[in-house]
């Protein structure tokens, strides 16, 4: 079986967070789809709130502290990315944008990405199309056609229409992301220092 790495970013600020909940649902559905396509799946989820100070420090200094550097390297090494943000002022959150501002410039080129967002009202559902999707298009990612927005009412219990509609969107988006991932070769990250001469070789 082919091993695939799925990296999940949640920009929710509260605990518990509806953004994290949506991210988890998207990750579970995508992993399931990948397994049905014969792939072994490694899923890693981070909450940006845990790295907020490091993101700011990186923005100010141009250098990523150790823990954030490891996260950025994991993003580059992933075969696919799920990115979920809460809706702030009809757009993505500042923390979400700041994180992707410090992601290495080439890390997301041709990488399959599934975008999601949460908000209190369905009126903000277009945030995916006028804010989030253009961000990843600019970063030259391959964004799954279906983005998933979840309003507060979508989390209703009892199998209501809104909840069923969200479940269908999640499954459709997960299938699209899985197809994009399996259509590509697994990501291989080359160590830039691997071919560097040893100290003994430099001494002759």
């Amino acid at each position: 079986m082919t091993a695939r790495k799925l990296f999940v970013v949640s920009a929710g600020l509260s605990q518990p967070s509806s953004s994290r909940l949506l991210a988890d649902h998207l990750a579970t559905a995508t992993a399931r789809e990948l397994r049905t396509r014969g792939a072994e799946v490694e899923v890693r989820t981070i909450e940006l709130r845990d790295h907020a100070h490091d993101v700011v420090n990186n923005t100010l200094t141009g250098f990523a502290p150790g823990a954030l550097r490891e996260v950025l390297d994991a993003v580059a090494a992933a075969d696919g990315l799920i990115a979920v943000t809460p809706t702030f002022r009809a757009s993505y959150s500042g923390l979400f944008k700041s994180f992707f501002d410090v992601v290495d410039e080439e890390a997301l080129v041709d990488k399959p990405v599934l975008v999601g967002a949460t908000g209190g009202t369905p009126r903000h559902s277009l945030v995916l199309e006028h804010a989030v999707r253009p961000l990843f298009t600019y970063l030259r990612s391959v964004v799954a056609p279906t983005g998933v927005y979840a309003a507060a009412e979508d989390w209703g219990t009892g199998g209501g229409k809104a909840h069923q509609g969200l479940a269908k969107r999640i499954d459709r988006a997960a299938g699209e992301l899985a197809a994009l991932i399996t259509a590509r070769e697994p990501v291989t990250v080359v160590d830039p220092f691997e071919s560097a001469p040893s100290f003994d070789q430099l001494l002759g």
Side-chain angles (χ1 to χ4, degrees):
M1 296 177 74
T2 304
R4 298 291 188 167
K5 294 179 180 179
L6 183 62
F7 198 88
V8 186
V9 175
S10 168
L13 298 180
S14 59
Q15 287 187 321
S17 161
S18 59
S19 294
R20 174 61 189 266
L21 181 60
L22 178 58
D24 287 345
H25 279 284
L26 291 170
T28 298
T30 303
R32 183 175 61 244
E33 286 288 335
L34 285 168
R35 291 185 183 106
T36 64
R37 296 167 186 264
E40 292 181 358
V41 187
E42 176 188 329
V43 180
R44 178 177 176 186
T45 302
I46 66 157
E47 297 201 48
L48 292 185
R49 69 190 305 276
D50 297 332
H51 300 277
H53 292 291
D54 283 348
V55 169
V56 172
N57 289 337
N58 191 355
T59 302
L60 294 175
T61 66
F63 295 96
L68 180 60
R69 180 72 264 163
E70 191 272 333
V71 168
L72 297 176
D73 289 344
V75 169
D79 295 290
L81 176 71
I82 295 172
V84 181
T85 179
T87 304
F88 281 16
R89 303 294 190 269
S91 187
Y92 37 60
S93 72
L95 179 57
F96 184 85
K97 178 60 163 59
S98 294
F99 175 74
F100 286 103
D101 282 345
V102 300
V103 168
D104 296 343
E105 192 172 330
E106 302 295 318
L108 296 181
V109 174
D110 198 43
K111 193 180 298 294
V113 176
L114 169 53
V115 295
T118 57
T121 168
R123 292 193 306 249
H124 291 305
S125 60
L126 286 177
V127 65
L128 290 171
E129 303 307 322
H130 71 64
V132 184
R133 188 181 298 275
L135 170 63
F136 288 100
T137 299
Y138 173 80
L139 295 171
R140 292 178 287 165
S141 306
V142 181
V143 187
T146 301
V148 181
Y149 178 85
E153 65 190 51
D154 290 318
W155 299 112
T157 57
K161 247 185 202 183
H163 184 73
Q164 291 176 5
L166 176 60
K168 287 180 181 177
R169 294 196 301 277
I170 288 172
D171 287 342
R172 182 169 65 246
E176 292 169 356
L177 180 61
L180 289 170
I181 291 173
T182 54
R184 288 163 169 75
E185 292 296 319
V187 171
T188 55
V189 178
V190 178
D191 183 351
F193 302 105
E194 186 177 1
S195 59
S198 68
F199 187 68
D200 289 340
Q201 289 173 321
L202 289 173
L203 291 177

